[in-house]
Structure formats: structure tokens, C-alpha cells
Amino acid sequence: MPDFKLLPKPETRTERPKLYKVILLNDDYTPRDFVIAVLKAVFRMTEGEALGVMLTAHRKGACVVAVYTQEVAETKARQATDMGASAGFPLAFTTEKES
Ligand code: TYC
């Protein structure tokens, strides 16, 4: 068994991945129940969680849905926005880098 204490410390350090928020934007046309269905399908929320997020976006104009690594955040925001577009609604999700 080599004595690892004698080996030099590696120079590289592992960076924590940068995190991105997925944000739900309010609009005047998408039905509330449709927003809830999308939140449950794409973000695996319970009915209660989805209702809370939908109502916050409805009242305040926007709501943070979840936080992921960049690729996951962008993929989920696109999938959720596409579900709205496929049904003829202007439902929009954006992503924003966490500060
Ligand atoms: N404002 C929409 C309505 O009154 C519902 C809605 C809520 C739409 C949240 C989008 O992100 C949203 N039908």
C-alpha cells in the first residue's frame, strides 16, 4: 500500500457547477390549469406546488420554478415553452444565471 500522505496535493480543484434558475412568466391568455399541468409534467411538481408557483407568477408577473445546471435548466425551459406553443398558448419560461 503506497503512503498517499507522501504524494503532492493535486493542483486542480473541482469547481461547483454554475446554477441557473428557470423562471415562469405570466401572460393573459394561458389557462391556469394548463400552466399547472405543464409544471407537473416538466418539473415534477405536486398539484399544490404547481398551484403555488402558477399563482405567484399570475400575481407578481414571474416566479422562480426551480434551479438546475445550465443544460438541464435550458432544456426544461424549452420543453415547457414548447408545450404551450403546441397548444397555441404564449406560455413562456426563461432561464437566468444565479448570482
Ligand atoms: N394569467 C393567466 C390567466 O389569468 C394564468 C397564468 C398564470 C398564465 C401564470 C401564465 O405564468 C402564468 N389565465
Side-chain angles (χ1 to χ4, degrees):
M1 186 67 162
D3 187 350
F4 288 111
K5 286 197 299 290
L6 297 176
L7 294 172
K9 278 225 182 85
E11 288 301 307
T12 54
R13 290 185 184 263
T14 310
E15 298 270 346
R16 277 183 287 113
K18 294 172 185 62
L19 295 178
Y20 285 70
K21 293 179 278 200
V22 176
I23 299 165
L24 167 64
L25 304 177
N26 187 37
D27 68 74
D28 291 338
Y29 303 101
T30 309
R32 293 178 181 213
D33 285 351
F34 188 87
V35 180
I36 290 171
V38 171
L39 290 170
K40 288 166 74 175
V42 178
F43 299 97
R44 309 210 157 269
M45 288 187 174
T46 64
E47 181 82 21
E49 289 165 346
L51 175 63
V53 167
M54 182 279 294
L55 283 176
T56 299
H58 178 74
R59 290 175 184 147
K60 301 198 165 181
C63 182
V64 175
V65 176
V67 174
Y68 303 102
T69 53
Q70 182 172 20
E71 184 154 342
V72 175
E74 288 174 353
T75 300
K76 285 186 180 280
R78 189 178 340 104
Q79 284 175 346
T81 300
D82 286 351
M83 280 179 75
S86 298
F89 299 127
L91 183 65
F93 291 79
T94 60
T95 60
E96 189 182 296
K97 194 171 165 191
E98 275 216 317
S99 42

CSV table of all heavy atoms in Angstrom, one decimal, residues 24-32 35 54 57-58 91, ligand 1:
chain,number,residue,atom,x,y,z
A,24,LEU,N,-40.9,31.2,-14.7
A,24,LEU,CA,-42.2,31.2,-15.3
A,24,LEU,C,-42.7,32.7,-15.5
A,24,LEU,O,-42.7,33.4,-14.5
A,24,LEU,CB,-43.2,30.4,-14.5
A,24,LEU,CG,-44.6,30.5,-14.9
A,24,LEU,CD1,-44.9,29.9,-16.3
A,24,LEU,CD2,-45.5,29.7,-13.9
A,25,LEU,N,-43.1,33.0,-16.7
A,25,LEU,CA,-43.6,34.4,-16.9
A,25,LEU,C,-45.1,34.4,-17.0
A,25,LEU,O,-45.7,33.5,-17.7
A,25,LEU,CB,-43.0,35.0,-18.2
A,25,LEU,CG,-41.4,35.0,-18.2
A,25,LEU,CD1,-40.9,35.6,-19.5
A,25,LEU,CD2,-40.9,35.9,-17.1
A,26,ASN,N,-45.7,35.4,-16.4
A,26,ASN,CA,-47.2,35.5,-16.6
A,26,ASN,C,-47.6,35.9,-18.0
A,26,ASN,O,-46.8,36.6,-18.7
A,26,ASN,CB,-47.8,36.4,-15.6
A,26,ASN,CG,-49.3,36.4,-15.6
A,26,ASN,OD1,-49.9,35.4,-15.7
A,26,ASN,ND2,-49.9,37.6,-15.4
A,27,ASP,N,-48.8,35.6,-18.4
A,27,ASP,CA,-49.4,36.1,-19.6
A,27,ASP,C,-50.9,36.2,-19.4
A,27,ASP,O,-51.4,35.6,-18.4
A,27,ASP,CB,-49.0,35.3,-20.9
A,27,ASP,CG,-49.6,34.0,-20.9
A,27,ASP,OD1,-50.8,33.8,-21.1
A,27,ASP,OD2,-48.9,33.0,-20.6
A,28,ASP,N,-51.6,36.8,-20.3
A,28,ASP,CA,-53.0,37.0,-20.1
A,28,ASP,C,-53.9,35.9,-20.7
A,28,ASP,O,-55.1,35.9,-20.6
A,28,ASP,CB,-53.5,38.3,-20.7
A,28,ASP,CG,-53.0,39.5,-19.9
A,28,ASP,OD1,-52.6,39.3,-18.7
A,28,ASP,OD2,-52.9,40.6,-20.5
A,29,TYR,N,-53.3,34.9,-21.4
A,29,TYR,CA,-54.0,34.0,-22.3
A,29,TYR,C,-54.0,32.5,-21.8
A,29,TYR,O,-54.9,31.8,-22.1
A,29,TYR,CB,-53.6,34.1,-23.7
A,29,TYR,CG,-53.7,35.5,-24.2
A,29,TYR,CD1,-52.6,36.4,-24.3
A,29,TYR,CD2,-54.9,36.0,-24.6
A,29,TYR,CE1,-52.7,37.7,-24.8
A,29,TYR,CE2,-55.0,37.4,-25.1
A,29,TYR,CZ,-53.9,38.2,-25.1
A,29,TYR,OH,-54.0,39.5,-25.6
A,30,THR,N,-52.8,32.1,-21.3
A,30,THR,CA,-52.7,30.7,-21.0
A,30,THR,C,-53.6,30.3,-19.8
A,30,THR,O,-53.6,31.0,-18.8
A,30,THR,CB,-51.3,30.3,-20.6
A,30,THR,OG1,-50.4,30.8,-21.7
A,30,THR,CG2,-51.1,28.8,-20.5
A,31,PRO,N,-54.5,29.3,-20.0
A,31,PRO,CA,-55.4,28.9,-18.8
A,31,PRO,C,-54.5,28.5,-17.6
A,31,PRO,O,-53.5,27.8,-17.8
A,31,PRO,CB,-56.2,27.8,-19.4
A,31,PRO,CG,-56.1,27.9,-20.9
A,31,PRO,CD,-54.7,28.5,-21.2
A,32,ARG,N,-55.1,28.8,-16.5
A,32,ARG,CA,-54.4,28.4,-15.2
A,32,ARG,C,-54.1,26.9,-15.1
A,32,ARG,O,-53.0,26.5,-14.7
A,32,ARG,CB,-55.2,28.9,-14.0
A,32,ARG,CG,-55.3,30.4,-13.8
A,32,ARG,CD,-56.2,30.7,-12.7
A,32,ARG,NE,-56.3,32.1,-12.5
A,32,ARG,CZ,-56.5,32.7,-11.3
A,32,ARG,NH1,-56.5,32.0,-10.2
A,32,ARG,NH2,-56.6,34.0,-11.2
A,35,VAL,N,-51.2,25.8,-17.2
A,35,VAL,CA,-49.9,26.1,-16.6
A,35,VAL,C,-49.5,25.1,-15.5
A,35,VAL,O,-48.4,24.6,-15.4
A,35,VAL,CB,-49.9,27.5,-15.9
A,35,VAL,CG1,-48.6,27.9,-15.3
A,35,VAL,CG2,-50.2,28.6,-17.0
A,54,MET,N,-47.8,28.8,-10.0
A,54,MET,CA,-48.7,29.5,-11.0
A,54,MET,C,-49.3,30.8,-10.4
A,54,MET,O,-49.3,31.8,-11.1
A,54,MET,CB,-49.8,28.5,-11.5
A,54,MET,CG,-50.7,29.0,-12.6
A,54,MET,SD,-52.0,30.1,-11.9
A,54,MET,CE,-53.0,28.9,-11.0
A,57,ALA,N,-46.7,33.6,-10.1
A,57,ALA,CA,-46.4,34.2,-11.5
A,57,ALA,C,-47.6,35.1,-11.9
A,57,ALA,O,-47.4,36.2,-12.4
A,57,ALA,CB,-46.1,33.1,-12.5
A,58,HIS,N,-48.8,34.6,-11.7
A,58,HIS,CA,-50.0,35.3,-12.1
A,58,HIS,C,-50.1,36.6,-11.3
A,58,HIS,O,-50.5,37.7,-11.9
A,58,HIS,CB,-51.2,34.4,-11.7
A,58,HIS,CG,-52.6,35.1,-12.0
A,58,HIS,ND1,-53.0,35.2,-13.3
A,58,HIS,CD2,-53.5,35.6,-11.2
A,58,HIS,CE1,-54.2,35.8,-13.3
A,58,HIS,NE2,-54.5,36.0,-12.0
A,91,LEU,N,-47.4,30.8,-23.4
A,91,LEU,CA,-46.7,30.4,-22.1
A,91,LEU,C,-45.2,30.5,-22.3
A,91,LEU,O,-44.7,29.9,-23.3
A,91,LEU,CB,-47.1,29.0,-21.7
A,91,LEU,CG,-46.6,28.5,-20.4
A,91,LEU,CD1,-47.1,29.3,-19.2
A,91,LEU,CD2,-46.9,27.0,-20.2
B,1,TYC,N1,-52.7,34.9,-16.1
B,1,TYC,C1,-53.2,33.6,-16.7
B,1,TYC,C2,-54.8,33.7,-16.7
B,1,TYC,O1,-55.3,34.6,-16.0
B,1,TYC,C3,-52.8,32.4,-16.0
B,1,TYC,C4,-51.3,32.3,-15.9
B,1,TYC,C5,-50.6,32.2,-14.7
B,1,TYC,C6,-50.6,32.3,-17.1
B,1,TYC,C7,-49.2,32.1,-14.7
B,1,TYC,C8,-49.2,32.2,-17.1
B,1,TYC,O2,-47.2,32.0,-15.9
B,1,TYC,C9,-48.5,32.1,-15.9
B,1,TYC,N2,-55.4,32.8,-17.4
